[in-house]
Amino acid sequence: MFRTTLILAALGVGLALAPAGAQTAPAAPDTTPLPPTTCSDAELAKMNAETAKLTDPDKKAIAMKEMTLAADRMAKEDMKGCATHLGNAIRMIPGRS
């Protein structure tokens, strides 16, 4: 009886510690500096054309969302916000970041 209790206690401790050992750290955010970005109709049109050529559907969806947010910020004359979203879209395009 005592032996069974010790075995069950050891299994309980092992199971309790297993998830803690299996945890991994989250991926670090992309902190590469953005290239100088200006918000203009020409730049947005150029980026829209490049975004349309993306073949990775996940990156394309993210880039399109960022382009929409950039256009919204530009319409509100928030050029800093526009440049931020435009830079985020640029990160999705291979060879541009």
Side-chain angles (χ1 to χ4, degrees):
M1 178 95 163
F2 184 69
R3 184 175 173 200
T4 304
T5 304
L6 285 177
I7 291 171
L8 290 176
L11 285 173
V13 169
L15 289 174
L17 296 177
Q23 293 178 357
T24 59
D30 185 5
T31 58
T32 56
L34 292 173
T37 308
T38 57
C39 270
S40 64
D41 290 327
E43 186 66 25
L44 288 175
K46 179 180 166 188
M47 283 299 301
N48 274 327
E50 288 187 39
T51 302
K53 295 177 188 175
L54 285 175
T55 56
D56 182 341
D58 294 332
K59 286 187 177 186
K60 186 173 186 174
I62 293 169
M64 293 300 279
K65 179 181 175 186
E66 291 293 339
M67 292 299 299
T68 301
L69 292 170
D72 290 345
R73 292 292 165 202
M74 189 169 141
K76 294 178 182 176
E77 297 182 11
D78 176 9
M79 294 306 161
K80 184 177 179 184
C82 177
T84 298
H85 289 295
L86 194 57
N88 291 341
I90 288 172
R91 284 188 174 138
M92 296 297 113
I93 299 173
R96 285 284 312 254
S97 56

